[in-house]
Amino acid sequence: GRRSMRKRPRPRPFRYTLPGLAGALVLLCLSLTPSLLPRTGLTQGLISGISAAFGYAVGVLLAYAWRAFADREARPPRRRSWLILAGVAVVAYVAATVSGRYWQARIRELMDAPADSALSLLVVPVVAAVVFVLLVAAGRGLWRGYRWIAYQLDRWIGERAARAVGWTVVVVGSVLLLSGVVLDQLVAAADRAFALRNGITQDGVVEPTVPERSGAEGSLVPWESLGREGRTFVGSGPTADEIAAFTGAPALQPVRAYAGLDSAATAEARAQLAVDDLVRAGGFDRGLLLVVTTTGSGWVDPGAVDSVEHIVGGDSAAVSMQYSYLPSVLSYLVDQERAREAGRELFDAVYDRWVDLPADDRPRLVVVGESLGSFGGETAFSGEYDLRNRTAGAIFAGPPNFNTLFREFVDDRDPGSREVTPEYRDGRTVRFTDDPAAAVAPAAEPWDGSRVLYLLHPSDPISLWSPQLLYARPDWLEEARGDDVVDAMRWIPFVTFWQVTADLPFAGNVPDGHGHVYTTQYIGAWVQVL
């Protein structure tokens, strides 16, 4: 027994088994089925390569299991078997590619997105092949690592124990390496790289000269400490004259207060500094006070604030702060704790000042957050009634699937409502829409008191991605598809997970009103909430 373990031949590089390639072919073709967003050739190639590598592993394991039950050794496949697989592969791949191109065209049509280049027909198989080869090689490397460890242990303990310990060492070591050493180092390196970008000011953004902005002369927050996105936030936006020209009525200069990562050492100190500067600028004397939780590097969607400043004639104040150097996609993956802390500290600092004001002389207090900002904004509240009792309203756009309150409202939605258009408690406080310019369902029910509105596109992968896509069909793929999702989208174990995962970094690269782009929809959202 031990001798057989030691003498088993190693797999040769670039030599693949027939069952493995059959499994790879099946998942390769399934990977060309549609998901939420249109794909480039590079994106499709990555998805196809990952799916094919997983299919190869499944094919190899199934063949191994069958041989174990049949109690026989592996036999070299006949030349005829290889020819049959090659013929099936050509026909299946061509059919899957034609169907995939059709579905991609339908998705682009639903989103008014530009047509894909014919060059992707060449890019997809090339990228897929490279990714497939690399992943299979990595898998074989782990297998050889296991074999070497088991061989060494076999000198001292039984063969079965050696194999069990070998697998344990390889699996646990790989997990610890990826989740600890590698991931932490990558995040730290990215943090350092984007910290340099944080010091750059965007073209056209200049230091404000009006006292209603952080970073201006007399502000408690130095201009240099605001960070790239903070300087953009306070150094742009409509002026009183521009608002008056738009509305045809006298307007005030909107107040914007902000604290950057370099403005104070801790989240609590940054929140307190931002609120102190808000007081200095007269923010609590305005009719409307917005608490804005940013995304990633401190970005605030201009549509979220510019629109309401026009609607209320500049009689508003917005306060926000930065909690990360990382851009949204990376921050979405690794900055959940910092977003949670920032959202809670900022709202609590504002509320502590606001609640001490006379009840008849307070601004209307509202909360707004997009993407990871909605996650941070939610964390200041325990549930529906807390939102209702401590705010005059809220707008949460494109909430990530892991948002605590969002998941609570969606999972406990009223019977008969869909996951992408849920209704919660007859819409008494919390409502959902992908088109705030229209009546928000349930239109026939009263929406009194504080109004909490979630902007949620059926094609937004940020709101729909979940690890459970690996092994479980989600409700949104059992129900009727959303307006901008093709009916042909189906749940396929493992494949759908990678398809939606690949959609994440491109969620903002689609036309407004689809995917993770909500900029112009804030206008209708504010009209509904206010």
Side-chain angles (χ1 to χ4, degrees):
R2 297 188 183 188
R3 194 165 50 204
S4 65
M5 182 177 75
R6 296 178 186 180
K7 288 186 175 182
R8 186 173 297 174
R10 296 178 178 179
R12 298 179 184 178
F14 310 113
R15 293 282 297 272
Y16 303 98
T17 69
L18 185 71
L21 289 179
L25 174 63
V26 171
L27 262 69
L28 171 66
C29 293
L30 290 176
S31 73
L32 293 164
T33 57
S35 61
L36 296 169
L37 302 178
R39 306 178 197 140
T40 63
L42 176 60
T43 306
Q44 181 62 67
L46 289 171
I47 296 170
S48 295
I50 292 171
S51 299
F54 181 76
Y56 184 86
V58 170
V60 169
L61 288 174
L62 288 177
Y64 177 82
W66 183 85
R67 289 197 304 271
F69 279 106
D71 194 23
R72 48 157 287 189
E73 292 295 321
R75 299 173 185 172
R78 299 176 181 177
R79 184 170 181 271
R80 179 184 177 188
S81 299
W82 284 111
L83 291 175
I84 291 174
L85 177 64
V88 171
V90 170
V91 173
Y93 181 74
V94 170
T97 299
V98 171
S99 299
R101 294 284 292 183
Y102 168 77
W103 287 321
Q104 289 297 308
R106 288 284 297 118
I107 296 173
R108 292 173 182 277
E109 182 182 325
L110 288 173
M111 296 187 178
D112 295 322
D116 187 25
S117 168
L119 185 63
S120 64
L121 290 171
L122 297 177
V123 173
V124 172
V126 171
V127 173
V130 171
V131 171
F132 172 79
V133 169
L134 291 176
L135 289 178
V136 172
R140 287 177 172 173
L142 289 175
W143 172 259
R144 289 175 183 175
Y146 149 72
R147 293 285 301 168
W148 183 84
I149 293 171
Y151 173 80
Q152 300 300 321
L153 292 173
D154 189 39
R155 300 175 179 178
W156 311 102
I157 60 178
E159 179 183 345
R160 292 181 179 178
R163 291 184 177 186
V165 174
W167 270 122
T168 302
V169 170
V170 170
V171 172
V172 173
S174 299
V175 171
L176 291 177
L177 182 66
L178 291 174
S179 63
V181 179
V182 175
L183 182 60
D184 288 349
Q185 290 302 315
L186 287 175
V187 171
D191 221 29
R192 290 191 295 270
F194 286 102
L196 298 175
R197 183 177 181 271
N198 192 60
I200 301 172
T201 302
Q202 290 188 28
D203 292 341
V205 174
V206 296
E207 186 175 342
T209 57
V210 293
E212 291 85 359
R213 301 295 174 95
S214 291
E217 184 178 355
S219 170
L220 304 178
V221 187
W223 169 254
E224 294 77 14
S225 74
L226 289 167
R228 174 186 173 92
E229 300 299 345
R231 288 190 290 272
T232 300
F233 177 68
V234 301
S236 59
T239 65
D241 291 340
E242 290 169 342
I243 294 172
F246 179 80
T247 62
L252 299 175
Q253 178 69 42
V255 174
R256 292 190 178 190
Y258 193 97
L261 268 177
D262 299 330
S263 301
T266 66
E268 182 180 5
R270 285 192 294 275
Q272 194 59 58
L273 178 62
V275 173
D276 288 343
D277 206 43
L278 180 69
V279 173
R280 175 205 61 80
F284 285 91
D285 299 325
R286 297 305 174 91
L288 183 68
L289 176 55
L290 284 69
V291 181
V292 185
T293 308
T294 70
T295 66
S297 56
W299 179 75
V300 176
D301 191 330
V305 181
D306 293 6
S307 56
V308 75
E309 289 173 343
H310 282 87
I311 290 170
V312 300
D315 188 18
S316 65
V319 59
S320 189
M321 72 182 206
Q322 182 184 18
Y323 56 82
S324 174
Y325 293 128
L326 300 177
S328 293
V329 172
L330 290 176
S331 190
Y332 170 79
L333 298 174
V334 301
D335 269 343
Q336 294 180 31
E337 183 54 42
R338 286 193 275 189
R340 178 186 291 112
E341 182 185 28
R344 185 169 52 243
E345 294 288 358
L346 182 60
F347 182 83
D348 287 349
V350 172
Y351 188 79
D352 188 54
R353 297 286 185 98
W354 178 87
V355 78
D356 286 338
L357 298 174
D360 58 353
D361 193 29
R362 296 172 181 165
R364 297 174 69 183
L365 181 60
V366 296
V367 178
V368 60
E370 180 174 329
S371 193
L372 198 57
S374 74
F375 172 78
E378 277 190 3
T379 57
F381 306 95
S382 60
E384 174 196 4
Y385 281 107
D386 197 19
L387 277 163
R388 186 180 185 92
N389 294 334
R390 292 205 293 156
T391 75
I395 295 176
F396 296 127
N401 191 268
F402 52 70
N403 277 24
T404 303
L405 296 187
F406 169 67
R407 283 268 39 110
E408 177 184 317
F409 299 147
V410 172
D411 292 342
D412 197 25
R413 63 189 180 274
D414 296 342
S417 63
R418 296 183 298 160
E419 184 172 6
V420 293
T421 54
E423 294 178 13
Y424 180 77
R425 300 291 191 269
D426 293 325
R428 62 191 179 192
T429 301
V430 179
R431 299 195 179 190
F432 300 80
T433 185
D434 66 341
D435 183 14
V440 179
E445 299 295 331
W447 196 11
D448 299 324
S450 300
R451 299 184 175 193
V452 177
L453 183 62
Y454 282 87
L455 299 180
L456 179 64
H457 294 151
S459 58
D460 188 351
I462 301 293
S463 298
L464 299 173
W465 181 90
S466 167
Q468 283 75 29
L469 284 172
L470 273 169
Y471 55 83
R473 179 185 288 107
D475 289 348
W476 55 274
L477 283 176
E478 289 185 346
E479 303 160 348
R481 307 297 180 264
D483 295 338
D484 56 356
V485 177
V486 292
D487 292 336
M489 185 175 182
R490 297 286 185 273
W491 178 74
I492 304 168
F494 185 80
V495 174
T496 300
F497 170 81
W498 283 114
Q499 287 178 327
V500 179
T501 299
D503 285 335
L504 292 175
F506 305 103
N509 297 343
V510 293
D512 204 341
H514 304 283
H516 198 56
V517 185
Y518 295 89
T519 300
T520 60
Q521 292 184 300
Y522 280 105
I523 300 169
W526 281 118
V527 171
Q528 296 280 3
V529 168
L530 298 180

